[in-house]
Amino acid sequence: MKVLVTGGSRGLGEHIARAFAARGDEVVVGCRVHEDKARALAEELGGSWVRFDVRDRDAVRQAIEPLDVDVLVNNAGLTHQGFFAMDDGPTWDEVVATNLLGPANCARAVVRGMLARGSGAIVNVGSVVSERTLPGHSAYAAAKSGLTSLTKSLAMELGGRGVRVNAVIPGVLDVGMGQRMPPRLKTRLLEHIPVGRVGTGHEVAAAVLFLTDATYIHGQCLVVDGGLSL
Ligand SMILES: NC(=O)c1ccc[n+]([C@@H]2O[C@H](COP(=O)([O-])OP(=O)(O)OC[C@H]3O[C@@H](n4cnc5c(N)ncnc54)[C@H](OP(=O)(O)O)[C@@H]3O)[C@@H](O)[C@H]2O)c1
């Protein structure tokens, strides 16, 4: 299978890209800024890399459509902390554009090819903030909640024509933005994680592969959070 992982050069995306490559899939590593990392990882995995900004619909279409991927993992994301009443800068909009419009742009760029072939899978990477939100994360939570809704809407439209759409909803992880989280916030969140630890990139990557392969699971948002959202 040919698999595109957006934001695949680092953080959670790198774990997902490595997991697909480890079982023999052809991986395309998506990046926006870290071209050097994407190139190095693609070379290591025997795949390829592609650079685009998920927010730019035309750039996404030009970059992705010709790839004819079997699987799209909408992993690229951006978070930002700021209280809504004081937060009227451009970052709020960027967070929504990256986490919601971005996956929609990427899905649109793969879906016609998938429909023409009568097969394909899309796995969106959400966040536990759509299940249990936090103060100071309004843009991220709104966008990720929108992404779970988009997952279900696309599943309704595409399932009858061989294209499955699901989402994985990670909690706090030991990679990427979870690793960079302010220690005080992480300590506070840990108190609410029943399994008593943060998750690993490997554990979420395994869930992404599972959803890709699970031929009768469709329109689902699989929470992988050690119980944080309970
Ligand atoms: N890590 C966690 O604890 C955690 C928890 C819940 C959910 N998630 C979700 O998991 C996904 C990956 O997060 P992460 O922790 O690995 O984040 P990260 O370390 O900050 O990496 C973000 C990735 O997204 C790419 N990206 C960001 N903006 C982009 C844009 N406009 N266009 C194209 N690519 C863009 C980056 O590419 P460049 O490097 O090229 O800039 C990078 O590869 C996100 O959707 C996030 O919301 C993560």
Side-chain angles (χ1 to χ4, degrees):
M1 281 193 307
K2 189 171 184 181
V3 183
L4 169 63
V5 183
T6 69
S9 69
R10 61 188 173 101
L12 176 59
E14 180 181 346
H15 283 263
I16 296 170
R18 287 185 181 282
F20 276 109
R23 66 177 204 178
D25 289 317
E26 178 185 349
V27 175
V28 183
V29 178
C31 71
R32 179 186 56 137
V33 177
H34 292 92
E35 195 177 313
D36 47 344
K37 289 189 183 206
R39 183 186 295 115
L41 183 64
E43 276 172 16
E44 183 190 332
L45 302 181
S48 55
W49 63 280
V50 62
R51 181 178 184 167
F52 55 85
D53 186 325
V54 296
R55 296 169 299 179
D56 182 338
R57 190 193 286 214
D58 293 336
V60 166
R61 180 175 293 147
Q62 276 176 24
I64 299 185
E65 258 181 7
L67 296 174
D68 273 339
V69 296
D70 303 296
V71 177
L72 165 68
V73 182
N74 264 323
N75 166 80
L78 176 70
T79 190
H80 156 73
Q81 271 196 59
F83 282 95
F84 183 76
M86 274 100 76
D87 189 9
D88 60 355
T91 314
W92 207 96
D93 298 11
E94 281 171 26
V95 170
V96 174
T98 305
N99 294 292
L100 181 55
L101 300 183
N105 289 338
C106 296
R108 204 179 280 107
V110 298
V111 92
R112 289 195 194 100
M114 289 178 175
L115 289 173
R117 291 189 297 276
S119 69
I122 298 173
V123 180
N124 295 321
V125 179
S127 163
V128 70
V129 294
S130 64
E131 313 299 305
R132 178 184 183 138
T133 194
L134 286 168
H137 288 78
S138 57
Y140 188 57
K144 291 297 194 183
S145 298
L147 186 59
T148 63
S149 188
L150 181 70
T151 301
K152 294 173 190 174
S153 298
L154 294 189
M156 288 293 286
E157 290 188 20
L158 304 173
R161 298 175 63 189
V163 182
R164 286 185 307 103
V165 188
N166 290 292
V168 66
I169 311 279
V172 185
L173 306 179
D174 65 355
V175 293
M177 41 183 84
Q179 198 174 31
R180 301 191 299 271
M181 183 180 276
R184 274 182 57 198
L185 178 58
K186 195 180 279 186
T187 305
R188 228 180 72 214
L189 286 173
L190 264 171
E191 289 168 14
H192 299 279
I193 302 177
V195 304
R197 62 171 178 85
V198 300
T200 66
H202 176 74
E203 285 167 322
V204 176
V208 171
L209 266 64
F210 168 72
L211 288 174
T212 303
D213 296 341
T215 46
Y216 204 56
I217 298 184
H218 186 54
Q220 297 304 306
C221 300
L222 178 61
V223 180
V224 185
D225 70 346
L228 174 60
S229 55
L230 294 174

